[in-house]
Amino acid sequence: MLKTNKMRNLDTNYLNKFKSSDINTFVILEGLYQSELSDGCDDLVFDKQTLNIPKNSKLEKPIHLLFITSQDCDQTINIIAEENSSFAMIEEHTSLENHKHTNNIKIKITAKKNSSITYYKLQNENNNATHNAKTNIRQEQH
């Protein structure tokens, strides 16, 4: 079992079923980014709620934002794709426990000049969960 900043027990086997060597997983547990549970990726900087994709980078592995929730959560994540960057992103939501909770998730993506993003969203929460989501994408051309 792992202890997180929220003092919630998280079974390593449970977490590992969402991870793969073919993707870069960033774990957000109860609305807080957990660097100690996330994969390391030298090219990416995830600073609490902002993920920066560097200029001219072409990421071979998809980025996996894994939201694990068991209580009400209001979260905003900013993703900045710098000029000429290219990547795929999987946004996944799952419940840690089977009780009622509400997620209010806002994803704000800025795609700078000549950037390319392939985006997938998976919602895999329990039947008692309410999921409210808003995704904004701003494309810059100049």
Side-chain angles (χ1 to χ4, degrees), residues 46-94:
F46 194 8
D47 181 21
K48 298 190 181 180
Q49 70 182 59
T50 301
L51 176 62
N52 288 298
I53 311 302
K55 184 177 180 177
N56 299 319
S57 63
K58 309 291 185 223
L59 301 181
E60 298 297 322
K61 294 181 181 181
I63 296 167
H64 181 204
L65 294 181
L66 177 60
F67 292 81
I68 303 172
T69 312
S70 66
Q71 63 187 18
D72 291 349
C73 181
D74 188 11
Q75 179 70 39
T76 300
I77 300 289
N78 300 299
I79 299 163
I80 301 168
E82 295 292 345
E83 189 174 325
N84 299 314
S85 63
S86 175
F87 66 98
M89 187 176 85
I90 304 160
E91 175 190 344
E92 182 174 7
H93 298 268
T94 189

